[in-house]
Amino acid sequence: MNVNGKPFHSIWLEPGDPPRVRCLDQTRLPHALVIEDLDSLEAYERAIKDMHVRGAILIGVTASFGMVQAAREAAGRGQGLEALETAGRRLKATRPTAVNLAWAVERQLAKLRVTRPADCVKIALDEARSLAAEEEAACRRLGENGLEIIRRLSQAKAGKRVNILTHCNAGWLACVDYGTATAPLYAAFNAGLDIHVWVDETRPWNQGARLTAWELGQHGVPHTVIADNVGGHLMQHGLVDMAIVGSDRTTRTGDVANKIGTYLKALAAHDNQVPFYVALTASSFDWSVRDGVREIPIEERSGEEVRTISGWTPEGVRSVLLTPSTSPAVNYGFDVTPSRLVTGLVTERGVCPATESGIAGLFPDLAGAK
């Protein structure tokens, strides 16, 4: 995707000996473009936990590169597999909800457990590169599949503008490139379709207002930022043709864990007969879970993220207190949207109903894993 007209990834390797892993510090966007070096296992842990990198796919890719760093540090200390297993546990503990994190770490460990210690760094680096390339390609194909949904809506409206609502940031910033929920939007815009995106602010981290709006603007996609509570009103008045969101973990039966507030948008869409789609790649399915509401762990973050807000001032970015100084706050990071509220799942293999049979039809090779 583009930043000031220049192609960018959210995470990348720069040549060197060893090659450097670099990422965008997303806590600084949209007011500053800060590139961060990930040069220690602690740096990877901090980047994931403190949301310098965020989004299910990007978290997984970052953790995979984190295992490369772990292998490099273990080799430097003359340590073996036990050190890599410990590093994997540390990375998996950084954030609990996105299934991609544990999946990516376990994918690395499966290779490293059968690799000679002398070869671990090379094997881990090859695996991380492969995973990043696979996810980028999957998001591109996902976008092509989602484009057909938007094309049909455009045809039904005789070419008039298609209004699409999204929540949080499931864009290229949350992946390696293209995004999940945004991939069809970029594909539609690039195909010349007339689209407009309603961007939920997504409190308390404001990933929509800060990140989705920024990247859509960089690409030239028409969009408008709205307060989180506006979506239902827009749907009631026929101003939303479809909603599309990402996923941090989707069960084998189609329940979807995504950024807090997604469930409320799905309820409003259902009440107003607005199609509600979820975009994800295969890595965001949790084949071991059936009941998302009861089985998916929901991350609870610091209440300070609710009590305060950061923004640009003439003196730079500042944080201010919103609430009475003595009022406590609770901060659940995600909620679960039951499959009955989901019109369809948009994936790299096609679009399917949010049902166990629908998902298994697209992913028969993976759905057998329980």
Side-chain angles (χ1 to χ4, degrees), residues 10 23 30 68-69 83 105 128 168 189 194 225-227 231 255 260 262 276 285 315 325:
S10 59
C23 67
V68 180
Q69 182 65 34
V105 169
C168 196
F189 177 78
D194 186 2
V225 177
I226 58 173
D255 295 340
I260 195 76
T262 301
F276 186 90
F285 282 106
E315 291 76 37
S325 60

Side-chain angles (χ1 to χ4, degrees), residues 46-257:
R46 183 171 59 252
I48 296 171
K49 185 175 182 179
D50 293 347
M51 294 176 65
H52 293 201
V53 297
R54 25 71 51 210
I57 288 176
L58 180 56
I59 288 172
V61 172
T62 302
S64 188
F65 279 114
M67 289 301 297
V68 180
Q69 182 65 34
R72 188 173 290 121
E73 292 180 7
R77 301 188 192 103
Q79 297 172 325
L81 180 59
E82 184 177 347
L84 298 179
E85 298 277 5
T86 298
R89 288 192 293 270
R90 286 171 57 181
L91 287 168
K92 287 191 289 185
T94 53
R95 296 193 69 190
T97 301
V99 71
N100 305 61
L101 174 57
W103 169 79
V105 169
E106 287 301 324
R107 177 168 154 166
Q108 280 280 22
L109 287 172
K111 294 265 187 177
L112 296 173
R113 287 169 183 143
V114 295
T115 298
R116 294 186 313 149
D119 297 329
C120 278
V121 174
K122 179 184 182 303
I123 294 300
L125 182 58
D126 289 346
E127 185 67 11
R129 281 174 164 152
S130 294
L131 189 150
E134 289 168 19
E135 290 286 33
E136 181 179 353
C139 286
R140 176 182 53 77
R141 294 194 300 270
L142 183 162
E144 293 167 355
N145 293 329
L147 166 61
E148 297 310 309
I149 297 171
I150 301 174
R151 196 188 301 279
R152 288 195 296 270
L153 287 170
S154 177
Q155 292 169 347
K157 297 186 71 174
K160 293 181 180 178
R161 174 164 285 190
V162 178
N163 289 296
I164 304 165
L165 183 142
T166 191
H167 186 69
C168 196
N169 173 259
W172 70 265
L173 287 168
C175 303
V176 178
D177 206 349
Y178 299 99
T180 53
T182 61
L185 310 184
Y186 290 125
F189 177 78
N190 293 342
L193 299 183
D194 186 2
I195 68 168
H196 166 263
V197 185
W198 296 112
V199 179
D200 274 2
E201 61 181 343
T202 323
R203 283 277 292 143
W205 265 78
N206 297 304
Q207 294 101 320
R210 293 191 303 107
L211 304 179
T212 301
W214 179 77
E215 66 169 83
L216 290 176
Q218 289 289 328
H219 203 76
V221 179
H223 64 279
T224 304
V225 177
I226 58 173
D228 286 342
N229 294 330
V230 172
H233 169 79
L234 295 175
M235 294 181 201
Q236 284 181 326
H237 291 270
L239 297 174
V240 179
D241 297 301
M242 66 174 283
I244 186 167
V245 301
S247 170
D248 286 86
R249 186 184 301 226
T250 293
T251 70
R252 64 185 297 114
T253 58
D255 295 340
V256 176

Side-chain angles (χ1 to χ4, degrees), residues 34 40 55-56 62 74 84 88 98-99 117 124 152 204 212 218 236 241 265 272 278 293 302 324 341 359 367 370:
V34 176
S40 69
T62 302
L84 298 179
V99 71
R152 288 195 296 270
T212 301
Q218 289 289 328
Q236 284 181 326
D241 297 301
K265 290 302 185 304
N272 290 281
V278 175
V293 174
S302 169
L341 299 177
I359 295 167
K370 297 183 181 179

